Amino acid sequence: MSELKKDSVERTLCIPLWSRAIAVKKLPQILPDHDAVRILKEMGETKPPTILYNLECGALAGAIRQYDFACEIREYLKDHPHATIVELGAGLSCLRRQIGNETNPWINIDFPDVIVCREKYIPTGTLEKNVACDITNHKWFDEIPFEKENGVIFLAAGVLHYLTFDAVTELIAGMAEHFPGGLFVFDFISKKGKTGVNTQIRMTKNAARMDFSMEDAEKELTAMSSKVSKVITKSYLEGYPVEGVKYSWLTKQYIKSKRDKFFVVHAEFSKE
């Protein structure tokens, strides 16, 4: 990946990409991402960061997150059919293409060098826009087409982990103030889970480290802003059941080991 800096957070782009690519064959029931297979081939990437990605559980780790978010999008659009969809730290996510959404404004936000890489490999849809910006710089707020009556849903996949708790607090407080009635969906890990994931990252020879974690999402998020009106926490791996999938014994053990570590949170912003 010559477009991306060595030993940077951006370098982790390949990690979820490999999970989703391998899941196309191993777990096709979970929102298959054929673009991930294509992108890795075009990059000249021939093997995943570690052999663990070839296991069913390794593929599940990345693929299930896209599925979780797709479920949240579909549910939100039932009441907000004209909502804007925003991916923070979009990386090489192909979620819009995975779910086939061509009807809603879709905004992808990430660092400038990541956006350059994204535009090389992922065609931009008619209502889609890429914004080059650090998500902690709130100037990107002005790039979002937002009308209160239409709504907006924000997604952050594997992104907040790399921010400090204070940075996440400032981000959520700002979003809740600026986008009343919006929804923020993101994954997070517990303190215990953070230690294990940082070990995994080191195995990929990446210098990036996870910092942010939570133990009680409802308590901590409502403390960040009085405008966070409702918080629902679900299991990252089991919170959004997939029909027709039968996991191997090893994968079931993997899921069991992550129940108190990996989560998806649904945080609603008050309308007033």
Side-chain angles (χ1 to χ4, degrees), residues 120-269:
K120 179 177 180 180
Y121 295 108
I122 304 174
T124 304
T126 304
L127 298 179
E128 187 175 14
K129 181 172 73 171
N130 296 321
V131 176
C133 187
D134 182 336
I135 65 169
T136 63
N137 183 338
H138 299 176
K139 70 179 184 180
W140 64 261
F141 289 3
D142 297 328
E143 298 284 345
I144 307 303
F146 173 67
E147 295 182 15
K148 188 176 177 181
E149 61 272 24
N150 289 338
V152 59
I153 177 171
F154 299 93
L155 312 166
V159 175
L160 300 191
H161 308 327
Y162 299 99
L163 304 181
T164 65
F165 195 91
D166 287 345
V168 172
T169 298
E170 291 177 9
L171 177 63
I172 290 177
M175 290 168 62
E177 180 71 32
H178 202 87
F179 302 102
L183 169 65
F184 190 16
V185 180
F186 61 92
D187 59 318
F188 73 94
I189 54 180
S190 66
K191 185 177 181 180
K192 184 189 298 183
K194 183 174 68 174
T195 300
V197 173
N198 277 331
T199 299
Q200 181 182 358
I201 292 175
R202 282 195 297 272
M203 291 173 63
T204 67
K205 299 182 180 179
N206 192 305
R209 292 292 175 269
M210 291 190 173
D211 191 359
F212 176 73
S213 64
M214 292 192 296
E215 298 301 315
D216 185 333
E218 182 175 12
K219 179 179 179 180
E220 294 174 64
L221 291 174
T222 53
M224 291 178 182
S225 170
S226 60
K227 294 184 179 297
V228 174
S229 60
K230 183 178 181 180
V231 177
I232 300 172
T233 303
K234 293 187 178 184
S235 164
Y236 178 100
L237 297 167
E238 299 175 289
Y240 304 81
V242 183
E243 292 186 10
V245 64
K246 294 183 178 180
Y247 298 123
S248 68
W249 177 86
L250 181 61
T251 298
K252 289 178 181 177
Q253 297 308 304
Y254 171 79
I255 292 172
K256 184 178 179 181
S257 72
K258 303 302 181 185
R259 282 178 181 156
D260 62 344
K261 300 179 181 71
F262 291 4
F263 305 93
V264 170
V265 69
H266 162 122
E268 299 178 16
F269 303 148

